[in-house]
Amino acid sequence: DARGRNPRRLGRYGLRPQVHGAFPGNRLELSVGPAGVFEFDNFSKGTKALLEAVAETTAAGNIGIIGGGDSATAAAKWNMEDKVTFVSTGGGASLELLEGKLLPGVAALDDKL
């Protein structure tokens, strides 16, 4: 980080991610990609905190999106799929769609309909 600390070692000191309420007033929260190796409990706190923040904003009436295969798997691990607006396994593709880009697969489907 900017202070020269090794981010891999921060967990040893009990530092936890502070994501709840980090973006007050947002009407959309988007999580694309896990914040750690969530498959191992010692490294899952950041990812779980991010997903909880997305679930909280959704519960407050905002739009909460979880994108990316690993993030979708993490959402399933903590039963959060039904607590957000949308879960997509396409991380980069989700971002491109939000940017307004036409995705080849979507274009092909549009041509068939």
Side-chain angles (χ1 to χ4, degrees):
D1 72 0
R3 296 182 201 149
R5 295 180 295 195
N6 182 342
R8 291 184 213 154
R9 297 184 67 202
L10 294 178
R12 292 184 182 175
Y13 304 108
L15 299 174
R16 296 184 59 177
Q18 302 296 315
V19 295
H20 298 288
F23 306 104
N26 274 6
R27 298 194 36 105
L28 167 70
E29 287 210 25
L30 171 67
S31 173
V32 179
V37 186
F38 69 90
E39 295 90 346
F40 300 106
D41 289 337
N42 289 345
F43 303 104
S44 66
K45 292 179 179 74
T47 300
K48 187 173 183 185
L50 286 170
L51 296 179
E52 287 172 345
V54 175
E56 284 180 13
T57 197
T58 304
N62 300 312
I63 298 170
I65 300 172
I66 295 172
D70 289 332
S71 293
T73 300
K77 176 179 180 174
W78 291 299
N79 298 315
M80 291 191 183
E81 299 127 316
D82 294 334
K83 297 178 183 176
V84 299
T85 309
F86 186 72
V87 178
S88 170
T89 57
S94 296
L95 292 176
E96 289 184 11
L97 185 64
L98 289 171
E99 289 175 18
K101 293 182 179 178
L102 182 61
L103 303 178
V106 174
L109 290 173
D110 283 345
D111 291 343
K112 300 262 184 205
L113 299 177

